[in-house]
Amino acid sequence: MKIKNRTATALASSALATVLVVGLGGFGLTSASASGTLKKGQTFYLIPKDTLNPYETLEDGGIAMALKSLGDKAIVSSGTADTAAAQIPSIQAAIQHHAAGIVIAGNDPSALCPSLAQARKAGLVIVSSDSDVTCPNHLFINQANTQQIGTSEVDLLAKEIGSSGQVAILSAAATATNQNSWIKYMKQQLKKYPKMKLVSTVYGNDDPATSLTVLQGLLSAYPNLRGIISPTTVGISTAAQYLDTHKSLLKHLTLTGLGLPSQMKKYVLDGTVKSFELWNPINLGQLAGYAVANLASGTIKIKAGQKFSAPALGKTYTILPAAAGTGPSVLLGPPFVFNKSNVAKFKF
Ligand code: RAM
């Protein structure tokens, strides 16, 4: 409990640190890098899953803050649907504008690789963040340990439903690398709960209307459903809103997943949702911003053991070695559990 409270304070105060860095940037001052040799005036393209998702906007805000504090420029560019095809024109635009690098949240693990290869050939550095790509020569900025996210989501639900009953997953796009890797570990963890049966996984494409449609389909196909895990901030907030107005469902149904405390606060405080998880997306963005600026400045290489400082986060981060299913990566930290006792403390 104490540890959780400390983490809550750390998460909240790092959001405060964010504001301070922006303030410094506004006065024309920049944060010092670990090596002190970062280039200034570089332009980076931020390519989120889509431009409509509030989570992605928070993360891009974090990237832009870090870049601005270093004297660099950020351009956010993407489509409105979570598909690789909608992101490719933004990669092309980054190449045409001679950007120094790209930070991308992949809507697909491999479909973006030919375009990203073109960008690398043109001299751009590639960082993926939030949702990885499987292409060579890029650095992945990971929000939290993939296995830990999948495992803890199942454990949270199991605790709330007495480890028994039909459960379902309401995910984002069917091709999203991040959700699919978490789901892989959810399925693995579900084996530890023989009385919990995964009956369906549905995909709302991180679009509120689609998420609602597939949720309603799920509820009518499985009237005895006991639990839903929605590992997407769009899915969980859509489902929470629906359950809030259909409270009789709460007699047998429990919802958890990954949500933004700002969007989920209402539903946690009124008892629709007991707990859910996330990390600080602004901090994730800042970490990605420092990483891409260092890579483009040549102060670090995409190599395990390389270190760079993230002044707004008050830490130096180290590139981790490639592991099964991922290339070299940097880890922000563990996921955090939000509930009635802490959900109102957070600004994101
Ligand atoms: C949605 C997106 C994003 C994911 C969060 C948890 O906003 O799918 O990629 O990290 O949920």
Side-chain angles (χ1 to χ4, degrees), residues 204-276:
N205 298 336
D206 272 349
D207 168 54
T210 312
S211 302
L212 180 60
T213 305
V214 296
L215 169 72
Q216 287 170 323
L218 194 59
L219 296 175
S220 68
Y222 301 97
N224 298 320
L225 201 63
R226 294 284 325 276
I228 297 177
I229 300 177
S230 186
T232 139
T233 59
V234 179
I236 195 175
S237 57
T238 303
Q241 191 180 9
Y242 185 79
L243 294 185
D244 199 38
T245 49
H246 296 77
K247 283 229 155 46
S248 61
L249 287 168
L250 294 174
K251 285 185 201 139
H252 62 90
L253 187 61
T254 293
L255 170 67
T256 189
L258 301 174
L260 285 168
S262 57
Q263 290 186 323
M264 297 300 291
K265 185 170 103 180
K266 172 180 190 298
Y267 309 114
V268 172
L269 295 182
D270 76 7
T272 304
V273 171
K274 280 201 182 61
S275 60
F276 65 94

Side-chain angles (χ1 to χ4, degrees), residues 49 53 55-56 130-131 143 172 178-179 182 206 231-234 258 278-279:
K49 282 182 167 180
N53 179 343
Y55 171 95
E56 303 280 315
D130 181 45
S131 188
Q143 44 274 63
N178 53 346
Q179 272 87 14
W182 300 329
D206 272 349
T232 139
T233 59
V234 179
L258 301 174
L278 203 72
W279 42 88

Side-chain angles (χ1 to χ4, degrees), residues 44-48 59 63 67 91 100-106 112 116 119-120 124-133 135-142 284-296 300-302 308 319 328-330:
F44 295 94
Y45 266 63
L46 320 185
I47 309 180
E59 182 178 349
I63 305 174
L67 291 175
I91 300 174
I102 287 173
V103 182
I104 190 161
L112 295 159
L116 290 175
R120 272 199 320 277
L124 283 76
V125 297
I126 312 296
V127 164
S128 63
S129 175
D130 181 45
S131 188
D132 200 9
V133 287
C135 334
N137 302 324
H138 76 281
L139 179 65
F140 176 44
I141 309 298
N142 197 359
L284 179 64
Q286 288 170 313
L287 186 55
Y290 292 121
V292 79
N294 274 280
L295 287 170
I300 56 167
K301 291 191 173 13
I302 304 175
F308 62 95
I319 299 182
S329 67
V330 180

